[in-house]
Amino acid sequence: MSMATEVLNNPLELRISDRLAKNFRRHFKERVIEFILMMAALSAVATTVGIVAILLYESAGFFAHVSIVDFLTDTQWTPLFEDAHYGILPLVMGTLVTSGIALMVAVPLGTIAAIYLSEFASHRVREICKPILELLVGVPTVVFGYFALLFVTPMLQKIFPELPGFNMLGPGIVMGIMIIPYISSMAEDAMRAVPMSMREGSYAMGATRFQTAVRVVAPAATSGIIAAYILGISRAVGETMVVAIAAGQQPTMTINPMEGAATITAYIVQVAMGDLPHGSIGYQSIFAAGLVLAFMTLFFNLLGHLARKKYREAY
Amino acid sequence: MTTQQPAVLKNLDEVRAMIRRHKLNDYIFSIIGLIALMVGLLTLLTLFVDLVMDGYPRFNQEFLSNFPSRRAGSAGLLTAWVGSLLVMTVTFVTAVPLGVAAGVYLEEYAPKNWFTDLIEINVSNLAGVPSIIYGLLALGLFVYILDLGQSILTAGLTLALLILPVVIVTTRESIRAIPVSIREGAYAVGATKWQVVSDHILHYSFGGILTGIIIGMARALGETAPVITIGALTFIAFLPPAPVMAEPPFLNFEWLQSGFTVLPIQMFNWLSRPDHAFHTNAAATGAIIIIVTLLMNGTAIWLRYRIRKNIKW
């Protein structure tokens, strides 16, 4: 500021060296800002590194006590009991069963909704329905947990009177409804990316909308649709509150959806609610469970990435 | 009528029947499609009505101004909503500058090389990490290694990391929509890169960034799992120290270290009790959470719609 006024008062005294000095300051400031911005971007990398490091570090403490073979083959998970067993299988089973039910609900409904929105719906219907689906994504999962425990399960009990209050069916169905918007919006994006000329070709041959959608557009968008399904699986596997509230928290080795069970996520919540001392085997066990969960979601995310790459058609 | 129809006409009838059949298929599918869409809409409606009806007896002023209690009828939400507000403040103050700065860097500054690719892959991967994993990170790192304790600060930072990908991605998207000519115009009159960013890019992308921030904050408000994992208490009968004081230095940061509870955790706590009277409290809390998050998300969607409609470069 002072230099600016100086220059205004004495324009003749503006020497080259002053201008260079100002230039240097300007450049220096730019560099500093760029550096700060880069540090902010690096926080994403730091988060990933932090997650991996913490999970591995605490799990290492866990696996110093428990052999990996036991961990992967024992069919009981009772780390907090006197007679402790550390078999992750019941938790994995609970996770897969609830996610499986969710997919059985979400895949058909999500796919049909996507085809309808992309190929059938008028502009107005689409403008109204898409925001509503987005709102559904924004509903907190704890609220869905309430819905599963106190609305869906009592309703199911009217159909199956012997269904216990905690079961995997109710939360599975609710989770399915919860991930419909994820699947439908991604699948719809994939179908709308199919070039118009392919539809026009199909219509020119006399095909109806339905034939065009199912035999031309959907096959051309396979990669995106499969990626949408896999994203849905990944969401269901990592979902916590719905199953923690409504599926019971008893690790059970079962594939019967009518029974209650614990998922990996529900177990972590259950232990964290209690007051376990830092460094105890129970404390470390939630990190080992978290590591398995992270591997499962990583696996599905990679699979989704590959699916998108492999089936991508060049138009 | 005629006993012997020419072969061509007979074929034509068959073709017409086939077309009718296919048209009918079209019609049937469009109805099925509408029904599939309705499942989502109806669920949202049922959920909302169910919560409001179940929680109706608790919609009064005491519910918002009472401390939690062992008796369901006099238990209130005071500590929970104050806790949510404070945690969200920490999240906002952390996630917004960090996320916007990262978005600006990736879009305007970053050179195209392996290092930038690495950051980008990280951001998109983080968006797919289950929220409870963030809770484990916070438990190990913030609570024990950095020794921040089970405090408001820890919870706010955890949720900030969780919504960071949302803020980064929306910032990038809205910056990308700004045409190059705007930047070229500014550079042509001698602006530096930071002047271009702060005077033009941030200005034009403000609306888009705002939608991302609102969606992220709505998510932070409703998130339960990571906050439970760091060990938020569920029964808190005290308020954190007030952040503002009457005498100098006016601001007080002790509240950052205070124990806390938040709305979704209070709801979860009431929901896990066998006593049905507490379920009414849970429903009322759920209704409040869902109204606030729907309002926030609705605002964001409306904002985005308006931006898309109004801006023509």
Side-chain angles (χ1 to χ4, degrees):
Chain A
M1 213 61 231
S2 66
M3 188 155 65
T5 46
E6 213 173 281
V7 168
L8 278 178
N9 294 340
N10 265 332
L12 288 178
E13 288 205 1
L14 183 63
R15 288 176 315 226
I16 301 276
S17 59
D18 285 344
R19 292 173 59 184
L20 280 180
K22 192 182 169 208
N23 228 351
F24 173 77
R25 265 209 296 282
R26 212 167 118 123
H27 274 273
F28 184 70
K29 194 178 145 205
E30 286 290 310
R31 287 281 153 200
V32 170
I33 288 171
E34 181 170 351
F35 181 74
I36 294 172
L37 294 179
M38 191 179 81
M39 284 292 127
L42 276 180
S43 63
V45 182
T47 309
T48 311
V49 173
I51 288 175
V52 174
I54 291 284
L55 286 182
L56 287 180
Y57 172 72
E58 298 284 358
S59 301
F62 177 79
F63 286 117
H65 286 89
V66 180
S67 82
I68 295 191
V69 179
D70 276 354
F71 184 67
L72 294 177
T73 55
D74 200 330
T75 54
Q76 282 183 59
W77 178 260
T78 52
L80 307 178
F81 290 5
E82 199 72 32
D83 171 34
H85 283 273
Y86 303 98
I88 194 75
L89 281 179
L91 297 182
V92 173
M93 204 70 129
T95 304
L96 290 181
V97 172
T98 46
S99 304
I101 299 167
L103 282 186
M104 277 186 236
V105 174
V107 162
L109 286 175
T111 314
I112 291 173
I115 292 178
Y116 179 79
L117 277 177
S118 149
E119 305 298 314
F120 284 79
S122 65
H123 184 68
R124 261 197 67 198
V125 173
R126 200 180 303 134
E127 290 286 296
I128 296 170
C129 288
K130 288 200 77 173
I132 291 174
L133 285 177
E134 276 183 71
L135 281 181
L136 200 62
V137 174
V139 174
T141 54
V142 67
V143 175
F144 276 117
Y146 178 92
F147 191 59
L149 180 68
L150 296 177
F151 188 86
V152 174
T153 296
M155 235 166 62
L156 289 172
Q157 277 169 334
K158 283 186 189 132
I159 309 172
F160 313 106
E162 72 280 11
L163 190 72
F166 291 122
N167 58 74
M168 292 193 275
L169 190 59
I173 292 173
V174 171
M175 244 158 56
I177 295 172
M178 220 173 80
I179 57 178
I180 289 176
Y182 289 104
I183 292 184
S184 70
S185 80
M186 241 184 112
E188 194 218 335
D189 284 347
M191 285 194 271
R192 281 167 74 83
V194 174
M196 214 43 180
S197 56
M198 292 183 71
R199 290 188 191 90
E200 281 159 358
S202 169
Y203 290 139
M205 303 296 288
T208 60
R209 265 170 196 268
F210 181 64
Q211 288 169 323
T212 307
V214 173
R215 300 202 195 152
V216 176
V217 179
T222 313
S223 65
I225 296 174
I226 289 179
Y229 294 163
I230 294 172
L231 178 86
I233 300 177
S234 170
R235 289 272 155 197
V237 166
E239 172 44 44
T240 309
M241 293 322 290
V242 176
V243 280
I245 290 170
Q249 298 180 344
Q250 205 65 49
T252 322
M253 187 80 179
T254 177
I255 54 164
N256 181 3
M258 303 294 227
E259 284 180 48
T263 62
I264 299 174
T265 51
Y267 171 72
I268 297 175
V269 164
Q270 186 193 6
V271 171
M273 291 287 285
D275 205 14
L276 275 181
H278 177 219
S280 67
I281 187 93
Y283 172 84
Q284 287 166 339
S285 72
I286 62 176
F287 288 90
L291 190 66
V292 173
L293 179 67
F295 271 128
M296 282 169 81
T297 47
L298 184 70
F299 172 74
F300 286 122
N301 287 344
L302 278 181
L303 211 62
H305 190 72
L306 286 181
R308 218 176 319 184
K309 242 185 174 165
K310 172 143 196 203
Y311 292 101
R312 179 169 290 158
E313 294 200 26
Y315 302 115
Chain B
M1 320 309 146
T2 45
T3 45
Q4 274 195 323
Q5 230 175 9
V8 181
L9 268 185
K10 202 178 161 199
N11 268 346
L12 206 60
D13 280 344
E14 271 173 24
V15 169
R16 282 192 180 127
M18 188 183 79
I19 290 176
R20 261 199 303 281
R21 214 166 52 237
H22 286 163
K23 287 260 175 200
L24 186 70
N25 280 350
D26 254 25
Y27 187 67
I28 292 172
F29 184 82
S30 68
I31 288 174
I32 295 176
L34 256 183
I35 292 173
L37 267 180
M38 283 304 140
V39 171
L41 174 62
L42 280 182
T43 309
L44 197 61
L45 203 68
T46 323
L47 187 70
F48 185 69
V49 172
D50 183 43
L51 282 173
V52 170
M53 276 174 40
D54 288 355
Y56 183 71
R58 293 287 180 278
F59 286 141
N60 49 38
Q61 213 205 319
E62 278 96 72
F63 190 59
L64 289 179
S65 61
N66 277 5
F67 285 99
S69 161
R70 300 203 185 282
R71 283 182 302 124
S74 58
L77 271 182
L78 182 65
T79 48
W81 71 257
V82 171
S84 273
L85 207 64
L86 293 176
V87 169
M88 299 265 289
T89 311
V90 177
T91 304
F92 184 85
V93 171
T94 325
V96 171
L98 212 54
V100 174
V104 168
Y105 178 79
L106 288 175
E107 214 48 46
E108 293 291 315
Y109 285 84
K112 292 268 164 289
N113 57 21
W114 64 271
F115 186 67
T116 308
D117 285 348
L118 178 77
I119 299 177
E120 284 184 7
I121 291 169
N122 258 297
V123 172
S124 54
N125 266 346
L126 283 178
V129 172
S131 61
I132 196 155
I133 301 278
Y134 284 91
L136 290 176
L137 166 71
L139 180 64
L141 183 67
F142 294 149
V143 177
Y144 290 113
I145 294 180
L146 298 181
D147 204 19
L148 299 177
Q150 302 172 338
S151 61
I152 291 179
L153 183 63
T154 303
L157 291 179
T158 312
L159 293 177
L161 288 185
L162 183 72
I163 67 167
L164 207 54
V166 180
V167 180
I168 294 177
V169 168
T170 42
T171 302
R172 295 190 65 181
E173 274 170 7
S174 48
I175 289 180
R176 212 175 297 150
I178 300 171
V180 188
S181 55
I182 300 271
R183 297 176 182 87
E184 284 167 349
Y187 284 132
V189 293
T192 63
K193 201 155 206 169
W194 175 243
Q195 284 168 333
V196 173
V197 167
S198 61
D199 294 345
H200 300 270
I201 302 296
L202 285 181
H203 183 78
Y204 288 120
S205 58
F206 179 74
I209 296 176
L210 194 61
T211 54
I213 293 173
I214 297 175
I215 289 176
M217 292 306 287
R219 181 150 177 228
L221 175 69
E223 262 315 330
T224 323
V227 191
I228 286 186
T229 314
I230 62 173
L233 301 172
T234 47
F235 190 87
I236 286 224
F238 60 89
L239 284 179
V244 188
M245 294 184 300
E247 63 267 20
F250 300 115
L251 285 180
N252 173 2
F253 289 102
E254 271 169 41
W255 56 274
L256 286 173
Q257 277 121 45
S258 170
F260 69 101
T261 186
V262 290
L263 287 170
I265 289 189
Q266 186 65 68
M267 177 177 177
F268 177 58
N269 175 249
W270 279 332
L271 199 51
S272 11
R273 294 190 190 199
D275 183 355
H276 282 276
F278 281 107
H279 290 176
T280 311
N281 292 8
T285 316
I288 293 172
I289 297 176
I290 207 175
I291 288 171
V292 176
T293 49
L294 284 187
L295 276 179
M296 289 171 83
N297 282 311
T299 312
I301 292 169
W302 175 78
L303 207 65
R304 191 170 53 207
Y305 176 77
R306 267 201 44 170
I307 293 168
R308 223 176 263 165
K309 219 174 170 187
N310 285 352
I311 294 189
K312 292 196 178 61
W313 295 106

mmCIF file of all heavy atoms in Angstrom, chain A residues 189-217:
data_model
loop_
_atom_site.group_PDB
_atom_site.id
_atom_site.type_symbol
_atom_site.label_atom_id
_atom_site.label_comp_id
_atom_site.label_asym_id
_atom_site.label_seq_id
_atom_site.Cartn_x
_atom_site.Cartn_y
_atom_site.Cartn_z
ATOM 1 N N ASP A 189 -27.846 -42.956 -15.266
ATOM 2 C CA ASP A 189 -26.769 -42.201 -15.915
ATOM 3 C C ASP A 189 -26.137 -43.012 -17.030
ATOM 4 O O ASP A 189 -25.873 -42.510 -18.114
ATOM 5 C CB ASP A 189 -25.694 -41.827 -14.883
ATOM 6 C CG ASP A 189 -26.148 -40.687 -13.994
ATOM 7 O OD1 ASP A 189 -27.148 -40.049 -14.338
ATOM 8 O OD2 ASP A 189 -25.506 -40.467 -12.950
ATOM 9 N N ALA A 190 -25.892 -44.308 -16.732
ATOM 10 C CA ALA A 190 -25.247 -45.169 -17.725
ATOM 11 C C ALA A 190 -26.126 -45.294 -18.957
ATOM 12 O O ALA A 190 -25.641 -45.255 -20.101
ATOM 13 C CB ALA A 190 -24.963 -46.540 -17.128
ATOM 14 N N MET A 191 -27.452 -45.440 -18.756
ATOM 15 C CA MET A 191 -28.328 -45.635 -19.907
ATOM 16 C C MET A 191 -28.509 -44.362 -20.717
ATOM 17 O O MET A 191 -28.631 -44.399 -21.932
ATOM 18 C CB MET A 191 -29.681 -46.163 -19.435
ATOM 19 C CG MET A 191 -29.577 -47.622 -19.055
ATOM 20 S SD MET A 191 -31.152 -48.399 -18.892
ATOM 21 C CE MET A 191 -31.496 -48.088 -17.214
ATOM 22 N N ARG A 192 -28.499 -43.223 -20.014
ATOM 23 C CA ARG A 192 -28.647 -41.978 -20.756
ATOM 24 C C ARG A 192 -27.382 -41.627 -21.536
ATOM 25 O O ARG A 192 -27.425 -40.800 -22.442
ATOM 26 C CB ARG A 192 -29.028 -40.841 -19.811
ATOM 27 C CG ARG A 192 -30.497 -40.904 -19.476
ATOM 28 C CD ARG A 192 -30.825 -40.016 -18.316
ATOM 29 N NE ARG A 192 -30.824 -38.607 -18.657
ATOM 30 C CZ ARG A 192 -31.851 -37.975 -19.222
ATOM 31 N NH1 ARG A 192 -32.918 -38.647 -19.527
ATOM 32 N NH2 ARG A 192 -31.799 -36.708 -19.474
ATOM 33 N N ALA A 193 -26.276 -42.268 -21.174
ATOM 34 C CA ALA A 193 -25.034 -42.024 -21.905
ATOM 35 C C ALA A 193 -25.006 -42.790 -23.229
ATOM 36 O O ALA A 193 -24.145 -42.551 -24.070
ATOM 37 C CB ALA A 193 -23.831 -42.407 -21.048
ATOM 38 N N VAL A 194 -25.944 -43.734 -23.411
ATOM 39 C CA VAL A 194 -25.997 -44.467 -24.680
ATOM 40 C C VAL A 194 -26.463 -43.499 -25.768
ATOM 41 O O VAL A 194 -27.456 -42.806 -25.590
ATOM 42 C CB VAL A 194 -26.982 -45.652 -24.555
ATOM 43 C CG1 VAL A 194 -27.161 -46.329 -25.899
ATOM 44 C CG2 VAL A 194 -26.488 -46.632 -23.524
ATOM 45 N N PRO A 195 -25.722 -43.451 -26.893
ATOM 46 C CA PRO A 195 -26.045 -42.421 -27.885
ATOM 47 C C PRO A 195 -27.447 -42.586 -28.476
ATOM 48 O O PRO A 195 -27.942 -43.693 -28.629
ATOM 49 C CB PRO A 195 -24.982 -42.622 -28.959
ATOM 50 C CG PRO A 195 -24.144 -43.741 -28.556
ATOM 51 C CD PRO A 195 -24.558 -44.249 -27.238
ATOM 52 N N MET A 196 -28.064 -41.477 -28.796
ATOM 53 C CA MET A 196 -29.412 -41.454 -29.341
ATOM 54 C C MET A 196 -29.502 -42.259 -30.630
ATOM 55 O O MET A 196 -30.527 -42.895 -30.900
ATOM 56 C CB MET A 196 -29.799 -39.991 -29.596
ATOM 57 C CG MET A 196 -31.240 -39.687 -29.371
ATOM 58 S SD MET A 196 -31.804 -40.472 -27.874
ATOM 59 C CE MET A 196 -33.460 -39.977 -27.822
ATOM 60 N N SER A 197 -28.426 -42.249 -31.426
ATOM 61 C CA SER A 197 -28.495 -42.913 -32.734
ATOM 62 C C SER A 197 -28.820 -44.398 -32.595
ATOM 63 O O SER A 197 -29.478 -44.988 -33.456
ATOM 64 C CB SER A 197 -27.177 -42.732 -33.479
ATOM 65 O OG SER A 197 -26.116 -43.219 -32.681
ATOM 66 N N MET A 198 -28.370 -45.010 -31.474
ATOM 67 C CA MET A 198 -28.662 -46.431 -31.299
ATOM 68 C C MET A 198 -30.152 -46.650 -31.067
ATOM 69 O O MET A 198 -30.742 -47.597 -31.580
ATOM 70 C CB MET A 198 -27.858 -46.992 -30.127
ATOM 71 C CG MET A 198 -26.369 -47.022 -30.446
ATOM 72 S SD MET A 198 -25.391 -47.743 -29.143
ATOM 73 C CE MET A 198 -25.855 -49.446 -29.263
ATOM 74 N N ARG A 199 -30.766 -45.754 -30.299
ATOM 75 C CA ARG A 199 -32.212 -45.870 -30.100
ATOM 76 C C ARG A 199 -32.944 -45.627 -31.405
ATOM 77 O O ARG A 199 -33.874 -46.345 -31.755
ATOM 78 C CB ARG A 199 -32.683 -44.837 -29.075
ATOM 79 C CG ARG A 199 -32.237 -45.130 -27.693
ATOM 80 C CD ARG A 199 -32.886 -44.187 -26.696
ATOM 81 N NE ARG A 199 -32.222 -44.348 -25.414
ATOM 82 C CZ ARG A 199 -31.170 -43.660 -25.029
ATOM 83 N NH1 ARG A 199 -30.691 -42.724 -25.811
ATOM 84 N NH2 ARG A 199 -30.599 -43.895 -23.871
ATOM 85 N N GLU A 200 -32.485 -44.607 -32.138
ATOM 86 C CA GLU A 200 -33.165 -44.276 -33.391
ATOM 87 C C GLU A 200 -33.097 -45.438 -34.365
ATOM 88 O O GLU A 200 -34.067 -45.751 -35.049
ATOM 89 C CB GLU A 200 -32.538 -43.019 -33.997
ATOM 90 C CG GLU A 200 -33.033 -41.759 -33.312
ATOM 91 C CD GLU A 200 -32.107 -40.571 -33.505
ATOM 92 O OE1 GLU A 200 -31.042 -40.733 -34.152
ATOM 93 O OE2 GLU A 200 -32.429 -39.486 -32.989
ATOM 94 N N GLY A 201 -31.924 -46.100 -34.391
ATOM 95 C CA GLY A 201 -31.786 -47.274 -35.251
ATOM 96 C C GLY A 201 -32.809 -48.328 -34.876
ATOM 97 O O GLY A 201 -33.473 -48.922 -35.718
ATOM 98 N N SER A 202 -32.939 -48.555 -33.577
ATOM 99 C CA SER A 202 -33.866 -49.574 -33.097
ATOM 100 C C SER A 202 -35.311 -49.210 -33.443
ATOM 101 O O SER A 202 -36.074 -50.030 -33.949
ATOM 102 C CB SER A 202 -33.690 -49.741 -31.589
ATOM 103 O OG SER A 202 -34.719 -50.523 -31.069
ATOM 104 N N TYR A 203 -35.675 -47.949 -33.193
ATOM 105 C CA TYR A 203 -37.044 -47.524 -33.512
ATOM 106 C C TYR A 203 -37.313 -47.639 -35.007
ATOM 107 O O TYR A 203 -38.402 -48.015 -35.416
ATOM 108 C CB TYR A 203 -37.262 -46.071 -33.067
ATOM 109 C CG TYR A 203 -37.314 -45.866 -31.582
ATOM 110 C CD1 TYR A 203 -36.705 -44.784 -30.979
ATOM 111 C CD2 TYR A 203 -37.988 -46.776 -30.777
ATOM 112 C CE1 TYR A 203 -36.747 -44.604 -29.610
ATOM 113 C CE2 TYR A 203 -38.030 -46.605 -29.399
ATOM 114 C CZ TYR A 203 -37.405 -45.521 -28.822
ATOM 115 O OH TYR A 203 -37.451 -45.347 -27.479
ATOM 116 N N ALA A 204 -36.296 -47.327 -35.818
ATOM 117 C CA ALA A 204 -36.473 -47.377 -37.262
ATOM 118 C C ALA A 204 -36.770 -48.785 -37.733
ATOM 119 O O ALA A 204 -37.423 -48.991 -38.755
ATOM 120 C CB ALA A 204 -35.218 -46.834 -37.957
ATOM 121 N N MET A 205 -36.289 -49.789 -36.986
ATOM 122 C CA MET A 205 -36.578 -51.166 -37.349
ATOM 123 C C MET A 205 -37.959 -51.589 -36.854
ATOM 124 O O MET A 205 -38.346 -52.737 -36.993
ATOM 125 C CB MET A 205 -35.547 -52.118 -36.731
ATOM 126 C CG MET A 205 -34.127 -51.829 -37.103
ATOM 127 S SD MET A 205 -33.863 -52.056 -38.853
ATOM 128 C CE MET A 205 -33.959 -53.836 -38.936
ATOM 129 N N GLY A 206 -38.677 -50.675 -36.213
ATOM 130 C CA GLY A 206 -40.023 -50.988 -35.771
ATOM 131 C C GLY A 206 -40.104 -51.475 -34.340
ATOM 132 O O GLY A 206 -41.154 -51.965 -33.918
ATOM 133 N N ALA A 207 -39.014 -51.390 -33.585
ATOM 134 C CA ALA A 207 -39.055 -51.862 -32.194
ATOM 135 C C ALA A 207 -39.827 -50.878 -31.330
ATOM 136 O O ALA A 207 -39.859 -49.685 -31.609
ATOM 137 C CB ALA A 207 -37.638 -52.022 -31.663
ATOM 138 N N THR A 208 -40.455 -51.412 -30.287
ATOM 139 C CA THR A 208 -41.169 -50.546 -29.359
ATOM 140 C C THR A 208 -40.172 -49.992 -28.328
ATOM 141 O O THR A 208 -39.009 -50.378 -28.306
ATOM 142 C CB THR A 208 -42.262 -51.309 -28.614
ATOM 143 O OG1 THR A 208 -41.638 -52.371 -27.890
ATOM 144 C CG2 THR A 208 -43.281 -51.864 -29.577
ATOM 145 N N ARG A 209 -40.691 -49.111 -27.472
ATOM 146 C CA ARG A 209 -39.853 -48.564 -26.423
ATOM 147 C C ARG A 209 -39.276 -49.653 -25.528
ATOM 148 O O ARG A 209 -38.105 -49.645 -25.190
ATOM 149 C CB ARG A 209 -40.693 -47.648 -25.530
ATOM 150 C CG ARG A 209 -40.622 -46.211 -25.897
ATOM 151 C CD ARG A 209 -41.671 -45.446 -25.128
ATOM 152 N NE ARG A 209 -41.865 -44.143 -25.726
ATOM 153 C CZ ARG A 209 -41.191 -43.064 -25.336
ATOM 154 N NH1 ARG A 209 -40.341 -43.132 -24.348
ATOM 155 N NH2 ARG A 209 -41.368 -41.915 -25.940
ATOM 156 N N PHE A 210 -40.153 -50.595 -25.141
ATOM 157 C CA PHE A 210 -39.727 -51.644 -24.227
ATOM 158 C C PHE A 210 -38.634 -52.501 -24.863
ATOM 159 O O PHE A 210 -37.618 -52.788 -24.238
ATOM 160 C CB PHE A 210 -40.943 -52.506 -23.849
ATOM 161 C CG PHE A 210 -40.625 -53.605 -22.885
ATOM 162 C CD1 PHE A 210 -40.183 -53.314 -21.609
ATOM 163 C CD2 PHE A 210 -40.760 -54.931 -23.267
ATOM 164 C CE1 PHE A 210 -39.891 -54.327 -20.720
ATOM 165 C CE2 PHE A 210 -40.459 -55.943 -22.373
ATOM 166 C CZ PHE A 210 -40.023 -55.641 -21.102
ATOM 167 N N GLN A 211 -38.868 -52.871 -26.152
ATOM 168 C CA GLN A 211 -37.854 -53.680 -26.837
ATOM 169 C C GLN A 211 -36.541 -52.919 -26.942
ATOM 170 O O GLN A 211 -35.466 -53.467 -26.727
ATOM 171 C CB GLN A 211 -38.358 -54.066 -28.235
ATOM 172 C CG GLN A 211 -39.458 -55.117 -28.183
ATOM 173 C CD GLN A 211 -40.126 -55.294 -29.519
ATOM 174 O OE1 GLN A 211 -40.326 -54.336 -30.262
ATOM 175 N NE2 GLN A 211 -40.470 -56.528 -29.825
ATOM 176 N N THR A 212 -36.632 -51.646 -27.270
ATOM 177 C CA THR A 212 -35.414 -50.840 -27.392
ATOM 178 C C THR A 212 -34.681 -50.762 -26.056
ATOM 179 O O THR A 212 -33.458 -50.932 -25.990
ATOM 180 C CB THR A 212 -35.775 -49.418 -27.857
ATOM 181 O OG1 THR A 212 -36.558 -49.517 -29.030
ATOM 182 C CG2 THR A 212 -34.536 -48.608 -28.133
ATOM 183 N N ALA A 213 -35.458 -50.539 -25.005
ATOM 184 C CA ALA A 213 -34.832 -50.388 -23.689
ATOM 185 C C ALA A 213 -34.130 -51.662 -23.272
ATOM 186 O O ALA A 213 -32.991 -51.644 -22.811
ATOM 187 C CB ALA A 213 -35.885 -49.998 -22.655
ATOM 188 N N VAL A 214 -34.811 -52.803 -23.437
ATOM 189 C CA VAL A 214 -34.275 -54.052 -22.900
ATOM 190 C C VAL A 214 -33.223 -54.665 -23.809
ATOM 191 O O VAL A 214 -32.257 -55.253 -23.346
ATOM 192 C CB VAL A 214 -35.429 -55.043 -22.643
ATOM 193 C CG1 VAL A 214 -34.901 -56.393 -22.246
ATOM 194 C CG2 VAL A 214 -36.339 -54.489 -21.574
ATOM 195 N N ARG A 215 -33.397 -54.531 -25.147
ATOM 196 C CA ARG A 215 -32.481 -55.237 -26.034
ATOM 197 C C ARG A 215 -31.392 -54.357 -26.623
ATOM 198 O O ARG A 215 -30.424 -54.866 -27.176
ATOM 199 C CB ARG A 215 -33.274 -55.873 -27.178
ATOM 200 C CG ARG A 215 -34.281 -56.845 -26.634
ATOM 201 C CD ARG A 215 -34.680 -57.840 -27.660
ATOM 202 N NE ARG A 215 -35.898 -58.523 -27.226
ATOM 203 C CZ ARG A 215 -36.762 -59.034 -28.057
ATOM 204 N NH1 ARG A 215 -36.549 -58.924 -29.354
ATOM 205 N NH2 ARG A 215 -37.824 -59.657 -27.609
ATOM 206 N N VAL A 216 -31.551 -53.052 -26.571
ATOM 207 C CA VAL A 216 -30.521 -52.181 -27.165
ATOM 208 C C VAL A 216 -29.842 -51.328 -26.090
ATOM 209 O O VAL A 216 -28.634 -51.388 -25.911
ATOM 210 C CB VAL A 216 -31.131 -51.263 -28.256
ATOM 211 C CG1 VAL A 216 -30.074 -50.314 -28.789
ATOM 212 C CG2 VAL A 216 -31.709 -52.102 -29.363
ATOM 213 N N VAL A 217 -30.644 -50.575 -25.350
ATOM 214 C CA VAL A 217 -30.046 -49.614 -24.421
ATOM 215 C C VAL A 217 -29.393 -50.324 -23.230
ATOM 216 O O VAL A 217 -28.235 -50.072 -22.903
ATOM 217 C CB VAL A 217 -31.101 -48.599 -23.928
ATOM 218 C CG1 VAL A 217 -30.468 -47.624 -22.948
ATOM 219 C CG2 VAL A 217 -31.703 -47.857 -25.097
#
